[in-house]
Amino acid sequence: MNGLGTVLVLLGAALCAAEIVSGTFYLFAFGLALLLAGGAELVWQLGATADLGLATLLSLLFLIAAHRLRRRMSNAASERTAQDDSGHEVEVLQVSSHSLRVRYRGSEWSASLADPGDVAPGERLTILRREGSRLILVRPATSDEPSLRR
């Protein structure tokens, strides 16, 4: 049995198992590359240079795929969280000429009004949406207006 192929397969399996704990996909990318390169060595006996080259190439390809997958998942989660903020009420803490500081979820956030108008500290406003870490606010809906909360 080929020693290098066995080592690559075992190392790849260990990295894939470690991925279960980290949850980042990057260890899985390396582990899968090593598993495939080790399997290729065991089947075709390509030699150390070809095996390590294959492992490197596969690692690069799988890392790019893992990065894109992680970013897509992160963006989707961030978008869902931002949508979940719509309709919640905030308290205005501070007013400056170009932005507001409000209290929401127990901390201070930067905010701005969707429609121009005067706002005073202590006033309660409603979140229309979130753009990054900035809240976009509107005045609360009156009883004859439909609520923003979903």
Side-chain angles (χ1 to χ4, degrees):
M1 183 173 261
N2 188 312
L4 179 60
T6 304
V7 169
L8 290 176
V9 167
L10 292 174
L11 186 57
L15 289 176
C16 289
E19 174 59 34
I20 294 169
V21 176
S22 76
T24 62
F25 299 114
Y26 298 113
L27 285 178
F28 183 72
F30 280 121
L32 186 59
L34 292 177
L35 275 170
L36 292 174
E41 173 59 27
L42 291 174
V43 173
W44 295 300
Q45 298 179 357
L46 303 172
T49 305
D51 289 337
L52 296 178
L54 179 61
T56 301
L57 177 66
L58 290 174
S59 292
L60 289 173
L61 293 174
F62 293 155
L63 283 174
I64 290 168
H67 180 71
R68 287 183 179 172
L69 178 63
R70 184 175 165 95
R71 187 173 46 188
R72 187 177 321 139
M73 290 175 64
S74 175
N75 289 345
S78 177
E79 190 175 305
R80 275 193 309 276
T81 302
Q83 290 172 352
D84 290 345
D85 292 326
S86 296
H88 290 272
E89 211 173 66
V90 299
E91 178 186 358
V92 177
L93 299 174
Q94 198 174 22
V95 179
S96 71
S97 61
H98 56 284
S99 69
L100 305 170
R101 294 296 292 172
V102 299
R103 180 173 314 284
Y104 176 59
R105 293 189 194 164
S107 62
E108 288 189 23
W109 291 65
S110 294
S112 59
L113 284 173
D115 299 318
D118 292 331
V119 178
E123 193 171 340
R124 302 206 53 89
L125 300 173
T126 302
I127 299 171
L128 177 63
R129 68 182 177 277
R130 193 175 84 197
E131 294 177 353
S133 63
R134 181 181 277 297
L135 301 174
I136 308 301
L137 308 173
V138 294
R139 301 206 184 280
T142 59
S143 59
D144 57 338
E145 295 178 30
S147 174
L148 291 173
R149 191 167 219 167
R150 296 175 204 185

